[in-house]
């Protein structure tokens, strides 16, 4: 079974500052992928960034970067230069490759980020 | 390039009724997954369809059923609605049967179901 834990129900950050959203995971799958999604109040889940379990370098995508520490089973999202439009729910998720095929995407409970002007 | 589209956007039903939600996948995608997101929670996997068959299923009762059509679009049906079925229902698509584990799912805007 896979499990995602997001321990920060809510976070505040000043505009233009950087913020880190925490995510820890647990899985027995030999290969897996870690994802971060943004969910504005409209409800749509927007894919932000991906990190593979065998990737040697941390993923980056514009202002988003993923601090991947495999030994600690953590995959924290770093947002640099926060903007007011970054205010939303952020979900960490994973899916793995088991012997019977790919497993469904499993989500954490999310972190609500509020950017303050 | 059309993304994942879902209909309707909002729906109000009475306890005991039945509901059908619809989803069209992103162009080029042939696999559809459905998720239920209760208020304040992360999405929970309901089931996945590929080649018009249910391929994987989460921990949901048989009241939840689905269908996939030859054009890859999909329906989610919920029978005998309970108050606890009130949630945002998200449809997600991907290329191939769950494609690779490193392939992100593309989500629609969801259908917000309220059961009274």
């Amino acid at each position: 079974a896979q499990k995602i834990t997001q321990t920060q129900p809510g976070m505040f950050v000043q505009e233009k500052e950087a913020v880190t959203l925490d995510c820890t995971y647990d899985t027995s799958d030999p290969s897996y992928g870690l994802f971060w999604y943004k969910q504005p109040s409209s409800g749509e889940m927007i894919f932000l960034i991906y990190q593979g379990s065998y990737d040697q370098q941390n993923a980056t995508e514009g202002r988003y970067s993923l601090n991947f520490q495999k030994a600690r089973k953590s995959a924290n999202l770093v947002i640099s230069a926060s903007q007011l439009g970054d205010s939303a729910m952020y979900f960490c998720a994973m899916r793995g490759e088991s012997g019977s095929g790919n497993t469904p995407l499993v989500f954490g409970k999310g972190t609500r980020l509020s950017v303050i002007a | 390039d059309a993304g994942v589209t879902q209909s309707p956007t909002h729906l109000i039903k009475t306890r005991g009724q039945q509901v059908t939600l619809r989803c069209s996948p992103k162009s080029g995608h042939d696999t559809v997954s459905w998720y239920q997101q209760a208020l304040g929670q992360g999405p929970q996997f309901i089931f996945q369809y590929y080649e018009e068959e249910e391929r994987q299923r989460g921990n949901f009762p048989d009241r939840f059923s689905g269908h996939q059509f030859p054009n890859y679009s999909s329906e989610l049906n919920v029978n005998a609605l309970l108050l606890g079925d009130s949630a945002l229902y998200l449809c997600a698509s991907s290329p191939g049967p769950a494609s690779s584990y490193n392939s992100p799912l593309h989500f629609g805007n969801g259908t917000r179901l309220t059961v009274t």
Side-chain angles (χ1 to χ4, degrees):
Chain A
Q2 300 171 330
K3 185 177 181 181
I4 295 283
T5 302
Q6 295 180 255
T7 58
Q8 306 155 313
M11 291 280 287
F12 289 89
V13 64
Q14 203 74 33
E15 196 178 7
K16 300 180 183 178
E17 297 291 312
V19 63
T20 297
L21 307 183
D22 294 341
C23 171
T24 57
Y25 63 91
D26 192 22
T27 182
S28 56
D29 292 335
S31 303
Y32 52 89
L34 295 153
F35 305 83
W36 277 91
Y37 284 85
K38 172 185 179 181
Q39 188 177 43
S41 56
S42 61
E44 182 185 5
M45 298 288 282
I46 302 169
F47 167 68
L48 295 177
I49 194 168
Y50 159 81
Q51 179 82 45
S53 56
Y54 290 109
D55 292 344
Q56 295 297 313
Q57 292 188 328
N58 287 341
T60 60
E61 194 70 49
R63 295 187 298 110
Y64 305 108
S65 60
L66 205 152
N67 184 1
F68 180 48
Q69 298 188 48
K70 193 172 182 179
R72 294 186 176 183
K73 293 189 175 181
S74 73
N76 300 337
L77 177 69
V78 180
I79 305 175
S80 63
S82 296
Q83 302 172 355
L84 295 178
D86 293 336
S87 294
M89 283 292 290
Y90 288 81
F91 290 94
C92 180
M94 73 177 302
R95 63 197 299 208
E97 184 179 45
S98 67
S100 58
N102 296 320
T103 57
L105 196 61
V106 173
F107 288 83
K109 290 188 175 182
T111 295
R112 180 170 297 280
L113 177 66
S114 299
V115 180
I116 304 168
Chain B
D1 181 19
V4 179
T5 58
Q6 293 186 243
S7 64
T9 54
H10 293 85
L11 206 52
I12 300 174
K13 288 287 188 178
T14 303
R15 192 171 43 184
Q17 285 188 318
Q18 179 263 345
V19 68
T20 297
L21 311 181
R22 296 176 175 81
C23 171
S24 292
K26 178 180 170 67
S27 178
H29 289 183
D30 57 8
T31 302
V32 173
S33 300
W34 286 92
Y35 286 78
Q36 180 196 65
Q37 186 179 15
L39 197 62
Q41 301 293 318
Q44 298 287 321
F45 173 71
I46 303 175
F47 43 54
Q48 178 194 81
Y49 275 83
Y50 171 69
E51 290 186 331
E52 302 179 47
E53 289 187 10
E54 183 182 295
R55 299 291 179 165
Q56 298 187 60
R57 189 179 182 91
N59 189 24
F60 279 80
D62 292 344
R63 298 186 298 108
F64 289 77
S65 63
H67 188 79
Q68 186 179 34
F69 299 93
N71 67 352
Y72 310 126
S73 67
S74 176
E75 288 182 349
L76 163 66
N77 302 293
V78 187
N79 295 323
L81 284 167
L82 304 174
L83 297 179
D85 294 332
S86 295
L88 179 68
Y89 288 85
L90 293 163
C91 173
S93 72
S94 58
S99 55
S100 171
Y101 65 85
N102 61 1
S103 180
L105 297 186
H106 295 260
F107 286 84
N109 286 354
T111 294
R112 189 164 297 281
L113 172 65
T114 302
V115 181
T116 62

